[in-house]
Amino acid sequence: MAGERLVSVLPALADPLAAVSAMTERLDPVGVEPVALGGGVGRVLAEPAVAERDSPAADVSAMDGYAVRAEAVGSAIDQAGEAVLPVAFEVETGHEPPALPEGVAARVFTGGVVPRGADAVVRREFVREGGDEVGFAADALADLKPGLNIRRRGENAAAGQTLLEPGVRITPAAVATLAANGRGVVSVFRKVRVGVAVSGNEVVATGRAGVDVAAVRDANGPSLRALIEATGWAECVEVVPLPDDLEATRRGLEDLAARCDALVTTGGVSMGDHDVLPDAIAALGAEVVYHHLAMRPGKPNLGAVLPGGVAVVALPGNPVSVLVGAAVLAGPVLRRRAGFAAEPSRVRLAVHAGPVLARPMKFRQYVPAALTEAGGLRPLSHRGSGDVAAIGATDGVFELPPGEHATDGPPRRWFPWTLSP
């Protein structure tokens, strides 16, 4: 079945930043599901996390010590400069204590509720303990004032306050916030189901033995699967090979799309006689958003949206171009489908001395680099988009805007080898 190749929404050699924006504005997040809090790490929160009560829920002690009325201690100072008060009771941790009578102290531990009537806590190391009384030395009294060592009710958050906005990734720290507010179950966006298709008659499975010298071992399928599975919020449904045949490619994409929220493909996307992917995508009734962007490596590419909202990010076949396209183009598309509220603010890191590109270009260039111990970037020499031998020593790519070619210079936009923010 031959399809008529559609005209893309964006013109040829459009800016990749414009292409990303045009793709994401056409996409919606996937559905929502409840998960146990312990299984929510790495997922994307789908509803606001609201404080169930004031935090702290009462005035609590910030120290181990003695709860007192500051004025009462001051009035009890004797000629030796010490104030001695009876200890009325010990605050039982986890329980609300009775009110503090006049002229006495109460022993309290960190996190314990401060008795009503008490307005300060004197640290235990600043007192003299003796049986049923406690002595407050002069050096402890110098700073004694209402509010000392007390964490006030609601000073962290008030009941009803939004603590976490929807669209953020649940981290271990977020789990602490959710758990402290009684959230044993959380509502999250379900995992984005991603299908990977690797085009090319010459591509063979990585583990296959005795391959011909003209064959190419598949590096793209394993690297894309690794990127997807490492997120925690997406899953790779399947990596399928596609031959250089229009009808077989159309059927393969159609089958994969029926089980996925997004497709990432490699190879077969340029203008060669055997590059059938654009025609196959058009035959599926897709809206082609862009085809060929002003970027290097990775200019042969295509972005489309299939009927039903399945996103397609088609990348070239060279492994370096695939990694760059995954970070720059596929990442924002998958994050949009995953429900993230906003794109990450790309860290702009200083670039250290490294190779200078041959000439400035009209395209955005993405230069492989490794992170330094100081947090900068060290460009690494490589031999183009097929140099898979060198790319393993890099941590990502930084962007050179059109017209620039010197890698040594100011901070640049950084795209690490990860799909997560």
Side-chain angles (χ1 to χ4, degrees):
M1 173 180 176
E4 180 181 352
R5 188 170 297 189
L6 301 181
V7 176
S8 59
V9 173
L10 298 182
L13 300 184
D15 188 274
L17 304 184
V20 165
S21 178
M23 280 289 291
T24 56
E25 70 183 17
R26 287 166 166 77
L27 302 172
D28 295 317
V30 296
V32 173
E33 64 182 5
V35 297
L37 179 59
V41 176
R43 304 291 292 277
V44 182
L45 192 65
E47 64 182 3
V50 176
E52 64 167 352
R53 58 179 182 169
D54 292 338
S55 175
D59 289 354
V60 297
S61 178
M63 299 286 178
D64 295 337
Y66 290 84
V68 297
R69 299 173 188 263
E71 185 178 355
V73 175
S75 62
I77 298 175
D78 59 22
Q79 292 182 346
E82 182 183 57
V84 179
L85 296 179
V87 178
F89 56 86
E90 180 178 292
V91 175
E92 186 178 355
T93 303
H95 295 271
E96 186 174 0
L100 186 71
E102 296 279 354
V104 299
R107 186 179 293 112
V108 64
F109 300 102
T110 302
V113 176
V114 175
R116 296 185 308 279
D119 59 11
V121 173
V122 180
R123 294 169 62 176
R124 191 172 190 179
E125 53 265 44
F126 292 160
V127 304
R128 176 182 58 80
E129 296 177 302
D132 294 332
E133 64 179 24
V134 59
F136 300 89
D139 55 354
L141 301 178
D143 296 328
L144 184 59
K145 59 184 177 181
L148 180 67
N149 295 324
I150 293 178
R151 294 176 55 223
R152 293 299 185 187
R153 173 178 178 172
E155 72 174 37
N156 296 333
Q161 179 179 334
T162 298
L163 305 176
L164 294 171
E165 296 285 354
V168 300
R169 191 180 186 204
I170 299 177
T171 63
V175 168
T177 296
L178 293 163
N181 282 274
R183 301 293 292 273
V185 174
V186 290
S187 179
V188 299
F189 292 99
R190 65 168 174 78
K191 289 189 176 184
V192 179
R193 300 175 303 226
V194 186
V196 175
V198 179
S199 295
N201 292 339
E202 75 283 10
V203 180
V204 299
T206 300
R208 180 175 165 183
V211 298
D212 189 272
V213 292
V216 176
R217 292 195 184 277
D218 178 24
N220 297 330
S223 65
L224 288 172
R225 181 187 285 276
L227 280 169
I228 294 162
E229 295 290 353
T231 64
W233 46 263
E235 58 185 349
C236 183
V237 173
E238 188 178 2
V239 177
V240 299
L242 295 177
D244 295 328
D245 176 83
L246 176 57
E247 180 57 19
T249 295
R250 186 199 66 78
R251 289 197 307 268
L253 293 177
E254 185 176 42
D255 174 71
L256 198 56
R259 297 177 283 136
C260 296
D261 306 301
L263 304 182
V264 182
T265 71
T266 70
V269 73
S270 191
M271 303 298 291
D273 292 344
H274 301 289
D275 290 331
V276 300
L277 196 74
D279 286 331
I281 291 173
L284 295 176
E287 178 188 28
V288 178
V289 179
Y290 63 83
H291 191 193
H292 299 303
L293 298 176
M295 60 186 293
R296 180 172 288 183
K299 184 182 75 168
N301 48 47
L302 184 148
V305 181
L306 298 177
V310 176
V312 181
V313 179
L315 305 173
N318 284 323
V320 177
S321 296
V322 168
L323 285 168
V324 172
V328 177
L329 302 174
V333 167
L334 299 182
R335 288 190 288 270
R336 170 62 178 164
R337 295 244 64 191
F340 282 98
E343 271 294 283
S345 176
R346 290 294 174 191
V347 178
R348 295 175 178 266
L349 298 173
V351 179
H352 299 299
V356 176
L357 303 184
R359 64 186 187 279
M361 304 186 70
K362 296 179 181 179
F363 301 159
R364 290 187 184 273
Q365 299 184 77
Y366 296 91
V367 183
L371 291 169
T372 68
E373 292 185 0
L377 300 172
R378 184 179 70 254
L380 298 184
S381 297
H382 69 293
R383 294 176 174 81
S385 59
D387 190 359
V388 70
I391 201 68
T394 64
D395 296 301
V397 290
F398 64 88
E399 182 185 81
L400 285 177
E404 296 190 28
H405 70 292
T407 62
D408 188 20
R412 306 291 188 181
R413 295 179 76 221
W414 171 243
F415 294 85
W417 300 137
T418 176
L419 299 178
S420 287

